[in-house]
PDB file of all heavy atoms in Angstrom:
ATOM      1  N   GLU A1289      41.457  32.942 -30.185  1.00 86.00           N
ATOM      2  CA  GLU A1289      40.084  33.308 -30.551  1.00 86.00           C
ATOM      3  C   GLU A1289      39.185  32.079 -30.473  1.00 86.00           C
ATOM      4  O   GLU A1289      39.596  30.977 -30.810  1.00 86.00           O
ATOM      5  CB  GLU A1289      40.106  33.856 -31.985  1.00 86.00           C
ATOM      6  CG  GLU A1289      38.784  34.102 -32.609  1.00 86.00           C
ATOM      7  CD  GLU A1289      38.911  34.500 -34.077  1.00 86.00           C
ATOM      8  OE1 GLU A1289      39.911  34.164 -34.732  1.00 86.00           O
ATOM      9  OE2 GLU A1289      37.968  35.148 -34.551  1.00 86.00           O
ATOM     10  N   VAL A1290      37.967  32.297 -30.035  1.00 86.00           N
ATOM     11  CA  VAL A1290      36.950  31.249 -30.041  1.00 86.00           C
ATOM     12  C   VAL A1290      36.001  31.584 -31.177  1.00 86.00           C
ATOM     13  O   VAL A1290      35.349  32.619 -31.169  1.00 86.00           O
ATOM     14  CB  VAL A1290      36.180  31.187 -28.705  1.00 86.00           C
ATOM     15  CG1 VAL A1290      35.100  30.129 -28.761  1.00 86.00           C
ATOM     16  CG2 VAL A1290      37.135  30.930 -27.565  1.00 86.00           C
ATOM     17  N   ILE A1291      35.947  30.708 -32.177  1.00 86.00           N
ATOM     18  CA  ILE A1291      35.124  30.984 -33.349  1.00 86.00           C
ATOM     19  C   ILE A1291      33.685  30.542 -33.130  1.00 86.00           C
ATOM     20  O   ILE A1291      32.754  31.301 -33.360  1.00 86.00           O
ATOM     21  CB  ILE A1291      35.726  30.306 -34.592  1.00 86.00           C
ATOM     22  CG1 ILE A1291      37.105  30.907 -34.852  1.00 86.00           C
ATOM     23  CG2 ILE A1291      34.814  30.454 -35.796  1.00 86.00           C
ATOM     24  CD1 ILE A1291      37.894  30.249 -35.915  1.00 86.00           C
ATOM     25  N   GLU A1292      33.505  29.315 -32.687  1.00 83.00           N
ATOM     26  CA  GLU A1292      32.143  28.806 -32.523  1.00 83.00           C
ATOM     27  C   GLU A1292      32.073  27.819 -31.365  1.00 83.00           C
ATOM     28  O   GLU A1292      32.470  26.673 -31.514  1.00 83.00           O
ATOM     29  CB  GLU A1292      31.677  28.129 -33.818  1.00 83.00           C
ATOM     30  CG  GLU A1292      30.270  27.609 -33.746  1.00 83.00           C
ATOM     31  CD  GLU A1292      29.849  26.899 -35.026  1.00 83.00           C
ATOM     32  OE1 GLU A1292      30.707  26.608 -35.869  1.00 83.00           O
ATOM     33  OE2 GLU A1292      28.669  26.637 -35.143  1.00 83.00           O
ATOM     34  N   PRO A1293      31.549  28.252 -30.218  1.00 85.00           N
ATOM     35  CA  PRO A1293      31.360  27.285 -29.141  1.00 85.00           C
ATOM     36  C   PRO A1293      30.010  26.575 -29.281  1.00 85.00           C
ATOM     37  O   PRO A1293      28.981  27.216 -29.457  1.00 85.00           O
ATOM     38  CB  PRO A1293      31.382  28.152 -27.884  1.00 85.00           C
ATOM     39  CG  PRO A1293      30.887  29.470 -28.333  1.00 85.00           C
ATOM     40  CD  PRO A1293      31.297  29.606 -29.783  1.00 85.00           C
ATOM     41  N   LEU A1294      30.030  25.275 -29.253  1.00 88.00           N
ATOM     42  CA  LEU A1294      28.803  24.474 -29.258  1.00 88.00           C
ATOM     43  C   LEU A1294      28.645  23.878 -27.870  1.00 88.00           C
ATOM     44  O   LEU A1294      29.618  23.409 -27.282  1.00 88.00           O
ATOM     45  CB  LEU A1294      28.890  23.362 -30.303  1.00 88.00           C
ATOM     46  CG  LEU A1294      29.113  23.825 -31.744  1.00 88.00           C
ATOM     47  CD1 LEU A1294      29.346  22.621 -32.643  1.00 88.00           C
ATOM     48  CD2 LEU A1294      27.938  24.631 -32.225  1.00 88.00           C
ATOM     49  N   THR A1295      27.438  23.896 -27.346  1.00 89.00           N
ATOM     50  CA  THR A1295      27.215  23.409 -25.990  1.00 89.00           C
ATOM     51  C   THR A1295      26.084  22.386 -25.963  1.00 89.00           C
ATOM     52  O   THR A1295      25.206  22.399 -26.831  1.00 89.00           O
ATOM     53  CB  THR A1295      26.846  24.567 -25.047  1.00 89.00           C
ATOM     54  OG1 THR A1295      25.660  25.189 -25.528  1.00 89.00           O
ATOM     55  CG2 THR A1295      27.958  25.583 -24.957  1.00 89.00           C
ATOM     56  N   MET A1296      26.137  21.522 -24.953  1.00 88.00           N
ATOM     57  CA  MET A1296      25.085  20.533 -24.776  1.00 88.00           C
ATOM     58  C   MET A1296      24.982  20.205 -23.284  1.00 88.00           C
ATOM     59  O   MET A1296      25.987  19.931 -22.633  1.00 88.00           O
ATOM     60  CB  MET A1296      25.395  19.259 -25.556  1.00 88.00           C
ATOM     61  CG  MET A1296      24.315  18.204 -25.449  1.00 88.00           C
ATOM     62  SD  MET A1296      24.607  16.773 -26.493  1.00 88.00           S
ATOM     63  CE  MET A1296      25.927  15.968 -25.631  1.00 88.00           C
ATOM     64  N   HIS A1297      23.755  20.245 -22.746  1.00 82.00           N
ATOM     65  CA  HIS A1297      23.537  19.900 -21.336  1.00 82.00           C
ATOM     66  C   HIS A1297      23.635  18.397 -21.145  1.00 82.00           C
ATOM     67  O   HIS A1297      23.064  17.625 -21.902  1.00 82.00           O
ATOM     68  CB  HIS A1297      22.132  20.325 -20.889  1.00 82.00           C
ATOM     69  CG  HIS A1297      22.058  21.733 -20.436  1.00 82.00           C
ATOM     70  ND1 HIS A1297      22.506  22.139 -19.209  1.00 82.00           N
ATOM     71  CD2 HIS A1297      21.584  22.839 -21.039  1.00 82.00           C
ATOM     72  CE1 HIS A1297      22.315  23.425 -19.078  1.00 82.00           C
ATOM     73  NE2 HIS A1297      21.762  23.881 -20.184  1.00 82.00           N
ATOM     74  N   PHE A1298      24.375  17.984 -20.118  1.00 79.00           N
ATOM     75  CA  PHE A1298      24.381  16.594 -19.676  1.00 79.00           C
ATOM     76  C   PHE A1298      23.477  16.438 -18.470  1.00 79.00           C
ATOM     77  O   PHE A1298      22.813  15.440 -18.293  1.00 79.00           O
ATOM     78  CB  PHE A1298      25.788  16.136 -19.301  1.00 79.00           C
ATOM     79  CG  PHE A1298      26.619  15.705 -20.471  1.00 79.00           C
ATOM     80  CD1 PHE A1298      27.983  15.793 -20.419  1.00 79.00           C
ATOM     81  CD2 PHE A1298      26.043  15.211 -21.618  1.00 79.00           C
ATOM     82  CE1 PHE A1298      28.761  15.389 -21.475  1.00 79.00           C
ATOM     83  CE2 PHE A1298      26.813  14.808 -22.685  1.00 79.00           C
ATOM     84  CZ  PHE A1298      28.180  14.895 -22.613  1.00 79.00           C
ATOM     85  N   ALA A1299      23.482  17.439 -17.620  1.00 75.00           N
ATOM     86  CA  ALA A1299      22.685  17.469 -16.388  1.00 75.00           C
ATOM     87  C   ALA A1299      22.529  18.939 -16.024  1.00 75.00           C
ATOM     88  O   ALA A1299      23.167  19.786 -16.630  1.00 75.00           O
ATOM     89  CB  ALA A1299      23.403  16.697 -15.283  1.00 75.00           C
ATOM     90  N   PRO A1300      21.697  19.263 -15.035  1.00 71.00           N
ATOM     91  CA  PRO A1300      21.517  20.678 -14.692  1.00 71.00           C
ATOM     92  C   PRO A1300      22.819  21.419 -14.390  1.00 71.00           C
ATOM     93  O   PRO A1300      22.925  22.593 -14.664  1.00 71.00           O
ATOM     94  CB  PRO A1300      20.612  20.639 -13.462  1.00 71.00           C
ATOM     95  CG  PRO A1300      19.809  19.404 -13.648  1.00 71.00           C
ATOM     96  CD  PRO A1300      20.746  18.414 -14.299  1.00 71.00           C
ATOM     97  N   GLY A1301      23.820  20.767 -13.855  1.00 76.00           N
ATOM     98  CA  GLY A1301      25.075  21.446 -13.544  1.00 76.00           C
ATOM     99  C   GLY A1301      26.227  21.096 -14.461  1.00 76.00           C
ATOM    100  O   GLY A1301      27.362  21.468 -14.190  1.00 76.00           O
ATOM    101  N   GLN A1302      25.962  20.375 -15.550  1.00 82.00           N
ATOM    102  CA  GLN A1302      27.041  19.925 -16.433  1.00 82.00           C
ATOM    103  C   GLN A1302      26.747  20.301 -17.879  1.00 82.00           C
ATOM    104  O   GLN A1302      25.692  19.955 -18.425  1.00 82.00           O
ATOM    105  CB  GLN A1302      27.216  18.413 -16.345  1.00 82.00           C
ATOM    106  CG  GLN A1302      27.617  17.928 -14.984  1.00 82.00           C
ATOM    107  CD  GLN A1302      27.715  16.417 -14.936  1.00 82.00           C
ATOM    108  OE1 GLN A1302      27.259  15.724 -15.836  1.00 82.00           O
ATOM    109  NE2 GLN A1302      28.315  15.907 -13.887  1.00 82.00           N
ATOM    110  N   ILE A1303      27.708  20.988 -18.500  1.00 85.00           N
ATOM    111  CA  ILE A1303      27.580  21.385 -19.901  1.00 85.00           C
ATOM    112  C   ILE A1303      28.819  20.917 -20.641  1.00 85.00           C
ATOM    113  O   ILE A1303      29.949  21.179 -20.213  1.00 85.00           O
ATOM    114  CB  ILE A1303      27.438  22.914 -20.052  1.00 85.00           C
ATOM    115  CG1 ILE A1303      26.177  23.403 -19.357  1.00 85.00           C
ATOM    116  CG2 ILE A1303      27.431  23.314 -21.517  1.00 85.00           C
ATOM    117  CD1 ILE A1303      26.015  24.901 -19.365  1.00 85.00           C
ATOM    118  N   LEU A1304      28.626  20.228 -21.758  1.00 87.00           N
ATOM    119  CA  LEU A1304      29.720  19.828 -22.632  1.00 87.00           C
ATOM    120  C   LEU A1304      29.991  20.978 -23.592  1.00 87.00           C
ATOM    121  O   LEU A1304      29.057  21.532 -24.183  1.00 87.00           O
ATOM    122  CB  LEU A1304      29.346  18.576 -23.424  1.00 87.00           C
ATOM    123  CG  LEU A1304      30.320  18.179 -24.533  1.00 87.00           C
ATOM    124  CD1 LEU A1304      31.620  17.668 -23.937  1.00 87.00           C
ATOM    125  CD2 LEU A1304      29.699  17.138 -25.433  1.00 87.00           C
ATOM    126  N   ILE A1305      31.256  21.364 -23.732  1.00 88.00           N
ATOM    127  CA  ILE A1305      31.632  22.436 -24.651  1.00 88.00           C
ATOM    128  C   ILE A1305      32.487  21.839 -25.756  1.00 88.00           C
ATOM    129  O   ILE A1305      33.508  21.205 -25.501  1.00 88.00           O
ATOM    130  CB  ILE A1305      32.431  23.533 -23.919  1.00 88.00           C
ATOM    131  CG1 ILE A1305      31.640  24.083 -22.748  1.00 88.00           C
ATOM    132  CG2 ILE A1305      32.807  24.639 -24.887  1.00 88.00           C
ATOM    133  CD1 ILE A1305      32.447  24.955 -21.826  1.00 88.00           C
ATOM    134  N   ASN A1306      32.087  22.058 -26.979  1.00 88.00           N
ATOM    135  CA  ASN A1306      32.843  21.656 -28.154  1.00 88.00           C
ATOM    136  C   ASN A1306      33.056  22.933 -28.956  1.00 88.00           C
ATOM    137  O   ASN A1306      32.109  23.484 -29.506  1.00 88.00           O
ATOM    138  CB  ASN A1306      32.061  20.615 -28.957  1.00 88.00           C
ATOM    139  CG  ASN A1306      32.828  20.143 -30.166  1.00 88.00           C
ATOM    140  OD1 ASN A1306      34.017  20.392 -30.306  1.00 88.00           O
ATOM    141  ND2 ASN A1306      32.128  19.467 -31.057  1.00 88.00           N
ATOM    142  N   ALA A1307      34.292  23.414 -29.000  1.00 86.00           N
ATOM    143  CA  ALA A1307      34.521  24.734 -29.582  1.00 86.00           C
ATOM    144  C   ALA A1307      35.536  24.682 -30.719  1.00 86.00           C
ATOM    145  O   ALA A1307      36.510  23.932 -30.662  1.00 86.00           O
ATOM    146  CB  ALA A1307      35.012  25.693 -28.517  1.00 86.00           C
ATOM    147  N   HIS A1308      35.270  25.505 -31.718  1.00 87.00           N
ATOM    148  CA  HIS A1308      36.244  25.748 -32.781  1.00 87.00           C
ATOM    149  C   HIS A1308      37.121  26.883 -32.272  1.00 87.00           C
ATOM    150  O   HIS A1308      36.664  28.012 -32.122  1.00 87.00           O
ATOM    151  CB  HIS A1308      35.525  26.134 -34.060  1.00 87.00           C
ATOM    152  CG  HIS A1308      36.442  26.383 -35.218  1.00 87.00           C
ATOM    153  ND1 HIS A1308      35.966  26.703 -36.438  1.00 87.00           N
ATOM    154  CD2 HIS A1308      37.786  26.358 -35.336  1.00 87.00           C
ATOM    155  CE1 HIS A1308      36.976  26.877 -37.267  1.00 87.00           C
ATOM    156  NE2 HIS A1308      38.086  26.675 -36.605  1.00 87.00           N
TER     157      HIS A1308
END
Side-chain angles (χ1 to χ4, degrees):
E1289 172 186 24
V1290 178
I1291 297 173
E1292 182 182 12
L1294 301 173
T1295 60
M1296 182 174 73
H1297 274 283
F1298 277 153
Q1302 297 177 347
I1303 298 176
L1304 171 70
I1305 303 169
N1306 182 13
H1308 181 178

